[in-house]
Amino acid sequence: MVHKGSNKVIGTCAFVDWSNQHSKAEVGYVLNKNYWGYGFATEALSELIKFGFECISLNRIEGGCDIDNIGSENVMLKVGMKFEGILRKNEFIKGKFRDTKIFAILKEDFYS
């Protein structure tokens, strides 16, 4: 992600894993904390989802966030992803196992 006003790189948003066989991909995004709350992550993720369904014919796009990351959860909900569940203690972060919330959007959701 590049800030239009300053031409400064402020984050990333990309497919971090995908399966051609199952027509699905996982999204990941990171945004410089100074730019939180301005809609940049929402805008980038929205465009990535559009690209996934319209250009590479995905059927499912999924993503996850730490159980306490309300900002990331809100981004995924704003772009139409639905909460699907919690992966319990699936990541080891800062010396302890953490839960991950899983969200997804299907092609049929995107076009409805």
Side-chain angles (χ1 to χ4, degrees):
M1 290 182 260
V2 177
H3 188 267
K4 290 178 185 173
S6 66
N7 206 31
K8 178 181 175 183
V9 175
I10 61 171
T12 64
C13 182
F15 293 122
V16 296
D17 192 20
W18 59 87
S19 167
N20 290 332
Q21 179 183 1
H22 301 293
S23 297
K24 68 178 184 175
E26 179 183 353
V27 296
Y29 50 91
V30 178
L31 182 64
N32 180 312
K33 192 173 187 173
N34 295 329
Y35 295 90
W36 289 4
Y38 295 99
F40 296 122
T42 303
E43 179 183 353
L45 185 55
S46 180
E47 288 299 317
L48 185 63
I49 288 171
K50 180 179 177 184
F51 174 80
F53 290 132
E54 292 182 356
C55 298
I56 57 176
S57 300
L58 294 174
N59 184 61
R60 174 186 170 86
I61 299 172
E62 55 194 44
C65 65
D66 185 87
I67 196 158
D68 294 329
N69 191 340
I70 305 301
S72 187
E73 177 178 346
N74 286 336
V75 167
M76 288 186 273
L77 291 172
K78 283 179 191 173
V79 299
M81 298 175 85
K82 294 181 169 80
F83 174 69
E84 292 192 330
I86 296 174
L87 299 176
R88 299 179 312 138
K89 310 255 185 255
N90 72 308
E91 292 187 330
F92 193 72
I93 301 171
K94 296 181 182 177
K96 62 182 179 176
F97 287 99
R98 302 282 302 167
D99 296 345
T100 300
K101 287 186 175 181
I102 301 299
F103 298 82
I105 184 169
L106 304 178
K107 182 185 279 189
E108 61 196 56
D109 300 330
F110 182 75
Y111 287 110
S112 62

